[in-house]
Amino acid sequence: MDLTGKRLVLIGGAGFIGSHIAEQLLAKPVREIVVIDNFCRGKRENLPTDSRLTVIEDDMTDPYFTRKAIEGADGVFLLASLWLGECVADPRGAWETNVLGTYNVVAACEHSQVKRLIYSSSASVYGDAVVVPMTEDHPLNNRTHYGATKIACEQMLRAAHAQHGLDHYLALRYMNVYGPRMDRLGTYVSVIMKALDRILQNEPPVIYGDGSQEYDFVYVEDVARANVLAMEAEATDVALNVGTGVGTTVAALVDEILAVAGSKVRPEFLAHVQSFVARRVGSTELAEKLIGFRAQVPLREGLERTVAWRRACG
């Protein structure tokens, strides 16, 4: 899709990833960007000021509103969902929001013959890695409500593509996304924010177990760029990994954060607590082949930007 003159809708667009997508889209000659957000996590201050950007406070669980908001759109980015920890706390809400809400968006896209839908999925669909890097045909070993909703929605998109006129869609399976505007105040914040907040208070960051848990940390601006590339691409009816293809252990990550922050404190190792996933690193080959995406921001540079942002937050 050539984005010139297009009307694009971002559902969940005031959040962590969505606000970065909005910024990058505004660098394109788009006609209009409509951000829909219920502001349970998203923030208006995340969004840039631009005459082409409209913000609507509502959510996708209302099918009538969703159909009206999407009408006339050329492309839709669906980012809104309950996160992993929220799904643990509220399983019914997970299915009602993530799955039925997604159905409302899919049905609205079919009704309005939207040219392209980009769905934010997750590497949670894989569960623990059997082999690394994980390609897109890795077994779906998920054991969480969150991952289950993402699998269900990917299958919903595939069925809609085959049977109900959803002609062009892509699902993006994010690895561990980090960067400015990430959640830092909730219960289920990332390991980066938990470690950094303790470091900035001159307290030792906590590592559970021996720190050998390994993840693929991808900077948020790279993830936003993957979304824009996906909207512009021709590929359809496929789920793609969005990551760096590089694994970093929690112990090595905390050492990097300490170095970037200039801290002399040392991490505190506590007894291992059960985590949802202990190893997750994604293959990047298919995303590069189909949408031309390869992550550009190295971990050290991304952490430097993240630490600077966190310090500016006070």
Side-chain angles (χ1 to χ4, degrees), residues 40-258:
C40 68
R41 284 198 314 269
K43 299 177 182 178
R44 291 181 184 272
E45 56 264 33
N46 285 344
L47 295 166
T49 301
D50 192 290
S51 61
R52 295 171 294 165
L53 189 145
T54 302
V55 180
I56 301 174
E57 184 171 356
D58 214 311
D59 66 51
M60 63 185 181
T61 58
D62 180 342
Y64 304 103
F65 162 77
T66 302
R67 176 176 288 196
K68 182 178 179 181
I70 287 176
E71 189 171 355
D74 296 292
V76 173
F77 297 88
L78 175 48
L79 299 119
S81 75
L82 296 188
W83 285 1
L84 190 150
E86 294 168 318
C87 293
V88 172
D90 183 10
R92 179 178 291 275
W95 292 94
E96 290 176 348
T97 299
N98 294 7
V99 179
L100 292 179
T102 295
Y103 175 77
N104 291 338
V105 174
V106 170
C109 287
E110 292 169 351
H111 175 76
S112 296
Q113 297 183 313
V114 170
K115 297 181 179 68
R116 196 155 180 82
L117 170 63
I118 307 303
Y119 173 67
S120 289
S121 187
S122 168
S124 288
V125 301
Y126 297 126
D128 259 324
V130 176
V131 295
V132 294
M134 302 177 297
T135 61
E136 285 78 359
D137 59 1
H138 183 283
L140 302 184
N141 288 329
N142 163 72
R143 295 293 186 271
T144 67
H145 281 290
Y146 175 72
T149 66
K150 293 299 183 181
I151 293 171
C153 289
E154 286 188 13
Q155 291 299 310
M156 182 196 306
L157 291 165
R158 176 156 289 181
H161 175 76
Q163 298 180 337
H164 296 286
L166 185 69
D167 290 338
H168 299 285
Y169 83 89
L170 281 179
L172 302 179
R173 295 173 176 169
Y174 305 146
M175 299 293 149
N176 288 49
V177 188
Y178 74 98
R181 302 177 205 149
M182 67 193 307
D183 186 6
R184 64 185 182 89
L185 299 176
T187 303
Y188 301 104
V189 299
S190 78
V191 62
I192 291 177
M193 283 295 97
K194 288 179 179 178
L196 182 55
D197 278 354
R198 289 184 64 85
I199 290 167
L200 293 181
Q201 296 172 38
N202 203 34
E203 297 176 356
V206 174
I207 296 175
Y208 293 98
D210 62 3
S212 63
Q213 306 94 316
E214 183 182 31
Y215 306 110
D216 184 341
F217 295 94
V218 58
Y219 191 63
V220 65
E221 288 182 7
D222 278 329
V223 174
R225 185 168 52 84
N227 274 268
V228 176
L229 289 170
M231 183 62 73
E232 294 174 322
E234 294 182 1
T236 190
D237 191 26
V238 67
L240 302 175
N241 291 335
V242 176
T244 66
V246 177
T248 302
T249 66
V250 170
L253 174 72
V254 170
D255 283 345
E256 281 288 305
I257 298 171
L258 286 165

